[in-house]
């Protein structure tokens, strides 16, 4: 089969990782790029040798010549661009956060379903090697049925120099980073029925919250905590590692800093290393995220080729996005939020 041809919209900070990963994906290539900023368009076009370049997405869709679109812009443009893709019957990947509101996200899923086009959210954190290893160990039954979990991301890393917009929004850590951690909690322990959250802003130089503590009730009866912070100052900076603790009926699993996994089960203690690969184009400490970008883009390409549903489809991501909205609602009201009622 000839390879799939892709278009990428948004040639900013993170798109560089996506473009590198597309070079490594088997079965797809990016043949067209678009950015409303001519300078970014030139930088990415020259770096990756892409001749077809547009500053306007509508013109690019009108000219066509590609099988799917990878939307790597910030959230403000996601709904309009996904709707444009649906109108042109073009399968679409959309970066997280999927939308500005849950209602927007629902409309985006509906418009793609009506057009009959696949839609995947670029929710890559569950594709990280250590997270996949934790899931596989849990599925093997090594710790029995999980009844408690903690998904933790606490850092003092300066994310604002690469992504200045993160300092400017009224919402910060839950919308940008907690969205990944909540998705990991769903991936590992299943869907959520109710949620309670507390937030704080510690850094006076930013607008939004930089600390959040979230309590989740899962459908399977497990309870978990998602705690995220960009205001912490650990002795050894763990960015961008998600640490996991799981207690099950037969044992415990710990994913600790340095990608170390320790399982204590009926057969004793087993320690292993779940470090991600350092891909040739990757750089520490981002290599864990960068490897997951390649994994999710390969997944998209394989599912587009065989007609299967992606694991982070738009429809699936509504259940993660609802947790984000619920966390803000709970932090404001002080009350638990029923997730089922939101979907
Ligand atoms: P950025 O601001 O550096 O880049 C966005 C680019 O999109 C800019 O060059 C801008 O000119 C362009 N753009 C915006 N609207 C456009 C439009 N309508 N048409 C054409 N071009 C348009 O942002 P970034 O840091 O690269 O983030 C992009 C997205 O990636 C965000 O949603 C962010 O949350 C997400 N992100 C994801 C991860 C991850 O691991 N999944 C990591 C970092 C960022
Ligand atoms: O992965 C992300 O979405 C990034 C960061 C790791 C900095 O939060 O924005």
């Amino acid at each position: 089969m000839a390879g799939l041809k892709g278009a990428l919209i948004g040639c900013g900070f993170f798109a560089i990782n996506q473009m590198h990963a597309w070079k490594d994906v088997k079965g797809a290539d990016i043949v067209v790029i678009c950015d409303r900023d001519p300078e970014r368009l030139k930088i990415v076009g020259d770096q990756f040798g892409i001749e077809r370049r547009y500053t306007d997405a509508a013109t690019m869709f009108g000219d066509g010549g590609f099988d799917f679109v990878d939307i790597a812009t910030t959230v403000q443009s996601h709904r309009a661009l996904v709707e444009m893709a649906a109108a042109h019957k073009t399968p679409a990947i959309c970066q997280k956060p999927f939308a500005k509101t849950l209602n927007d996200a629902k409309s985006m899923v509906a418009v793609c379903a009506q057009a009959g086009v696949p839609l995947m959210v670029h929710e890559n954190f569950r594709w990280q090697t250590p997270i996949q290893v934790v899931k596989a160990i849990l599925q093997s039954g090594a710790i029995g049925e999980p009844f408690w979990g903690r998904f933790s991301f606490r850092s003092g890393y300066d994310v604002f120099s690469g992504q200045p917009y993160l300092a400017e929004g009224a919402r910060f850590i839950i919308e940008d980073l907690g969205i990944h951690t909540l998705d990991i909690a769903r991936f590992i322990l299943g869907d959520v029925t109710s949620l309670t959250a507390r937030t704080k802003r510690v850094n006076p130089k930013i607008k939004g919250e930089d600390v959040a503590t979230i309590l989740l009730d899962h459908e399977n009866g497990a309870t978990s905590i998602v705690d995220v912070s960009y205001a912490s100052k650990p002795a050894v900076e763990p960015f961008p590692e998600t640490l996991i603790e799981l207690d099950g009926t037969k044992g415990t699993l710990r994913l600790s800093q340095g990608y170390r996994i320790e399982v204590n089960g009926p057969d004793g203690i087993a320690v292993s290393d779940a470090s991600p690969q350092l891909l040739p184009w990757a750089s520490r400490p981002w290599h864990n995220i960068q490897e997951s970008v390649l994994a999710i883009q390969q997944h998209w390409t394989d599912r587009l080729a065989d007609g299967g549903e992606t694991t982070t489809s738009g429809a699936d991501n509504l259940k993660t996005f609802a947790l984000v909205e619920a966390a803000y609602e709970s932090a404001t009201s002080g009350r638990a939020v029923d997730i089922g009622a939101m979907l």
Side-chain angles (χ1 to χ4, degrees), residues 9-15 34-37 40 72-75 77-78 81 95-97 122 124-125 163 165 176 180 289:
I9 310 177
C11 299
F13 169 80
F14 201 69
C34 171
D35 198 299
R36 61 185 179 195
D37 175 353
R40 289 304 308 173
T73 60
T74 42
V75 68
S77 51
H78 287 176
L81 293 172
Q95 255 298 351
K96 52 59 66 177
H122 187 119
N124 51 319
F125 270 40
Q163 296 165 264
Y165 57 89
D176 182 68
H180 292 305
I289 292 177

Side-chain angles (χ1 to χ4, degrees), residues 232-246:
S232 303
K233 295 170 180 60
V236 182
E237 175 54 60
F239 181 88
E241 293 183 44
T242 303
L243 310 184
I244 298 181
E245 297 172 45
L246 294 171

Side-chain angles (χ1 to χ4, degrees), residues 151 181-182 185-186 192-196 214-218 222-226 323:
F151 304 90
T181 326
L182 289 163
R186 276 190 58 229
V192 173
T193 54
S194 112
L195 169 160
T196 310
I214 306 172
L215 178 68
L216 304 172
D217 293 312
H218 294 264
T223 307
S224 76
I225 298 157
V226 163
L323 303 183

Side-chain angles (χ1 to χ4, degrees), residues 6-341:
L8 178 129
I9 310 177
C11 299
F13 169 80
F14 201 69
I16 300 294
N17 295 316
Q18 295 176 223
M19 289 299 294
H20 275 298
W22 283 120
K23 291 269 179 204
D24 287 356
V25 164
K26 292 182 182 57
D29 278 307
I30 296 298
V31 297
V32 196
I33 56 171
C34 171
D35 198 299
R36 61 185 179 195
D37 175 353
E39 205 178 317
R40 289 304 308 173
L41 196 60
K42 179 169 169 34
I43 289 170
V44 171
D46 291 355
Q47 182 175 353
F48 294 94
I50 311 291
E51 296 303 326
R52 281 191 67 198
R53 304 175 189 180
Y54 291 84
T55 50
D56 177 57
T59 311
M60 182 187 84
F61 275 109
D63 288 353
F66 47 91
D67 305 307
F68 70 90
V69 65
D70 187 6
I71 300 166
T73 60
T74 42
V75 68
Q76 291 77 4
S77 51
H78 287 176
R79 181 168 177 178
L81 293 172
V82 165
E83 286 174 351
M84 218 180 270
H88 288 86
K89 304 270 183 217
T90 305
I93 307 171
C94 180
Q95 255 298 351
K96 52 59 66 177
F98 187 24
K100 286 196 279 187
T101 65
L102 183 59
N103 280 342
D104 276 2
K106 285 179 180 172
S107 298
M108 291 152 78
V109 169
V111 83
C112 287
Q114 277 153 20
V117 299
L119 170 66
M120 179 180 86
V121 177
H122 187 119
E123 180 41 79
N124 51 319
F125 270 40
R126 64 162 78 177
W127 284 99
Q128 292 172 3
T129 292
I131 308 301
Q132 293 282 327
V133 171
V134 167
K135 175 85 172 179
I137 293 172
L138 199 58
Q139 282 178 329
S140 75
I143 67 162
E145 289 303 316
F147 59 85
W148 181 87
R150 178 178 175 206
F151 304 90
S152 179
F153 186 110
R154 312 193 74 78
S155 168
Y157 188 84
D158 172 22
V159 286
F160 308 108
S161 55
Q163 296 165 264
Y165 57 89
L166 295 178
E168 290 152 17
R171 293 177 168 188
F172 168 40
I173 199 167
I174 301 174
E175 184 182 77
D176 182 68
L177 184 273
I179 196 168
H180 292 305
T181 326
L182 289 163
D183 189 70
I184 291 172
R186 276 190 58 229
F187 178 60
I188 300 290
L189 288 178
D191 286 333
V192 173
T193 54
S194 112
L195 169 160
T196 310
R198 299 289 181 268
T199 58
K200 222 176 250 318
R201 179 171 59 82
V202 175
N203 181 348
K205 294 189 189 134
I206 66 169
K207 266 204 190 150
E209 82 294 347
D210 51 3
V211 180
T213 308
I214 306 172
L215 178 68
L216 304 172
D217 293 312
H218 294 264
E219 277 175 3
N220 64 0
T223 307
S224 76
I225 298 157
V226 163
D227 60 292
V228 290
S229 165
Y230 273 125
S232 303
K233 295 170 180 60
V236 182
E237 175 54 60
F239 181 88
E241 293 183 44
T242 303
L243 310 184
I244 298 181
E245 297 172 45
L246 294 171
D247 288 357
T249 49
K250 293 185 185 163
T252 61
L253 185 159
R254 301 289 181 262
L255 167 61
S256 48
Q257 196 165 336
Y259 305 109
R260 178 183 190 271
I261 295 200
E262 184 185 278
V263 179
N264 182 34
D267 302 330
I269 300 171
V271 175
S272 57
D273 178 6
S275 294
Q277 292 180 75
L278 180 65
L279 294 169
W281 49 269
S283 55
R284 293 177 195 277
W286 286 85
H287 61 299
N288 184 28
I289 292 177
Q290 288 164 319
E291 188 194 40
S292 72
V293 169
L294 173 57
I296 196 171
Q297 291 179 187
Q298 186 64 61
H299 173 63
W300 164 261
T301 305
D302 294 345
R303 295 294 76 82
L304 209 53
D306 69 16
E309 175 95 333
T310 54
T311 72
T312 60
S313 65
D316 177 84
N317 197 258
L318 293 180
K319 297 185 208 164
T320 293
F321 200 87
L323 303 183
V324 170
E325 283 221 339
Y328 285 111
E329 197 180 314
S330 174
T332 303
S333 70
R335 288 195 287 273
V337 176
D338 175 358
I339 304 303

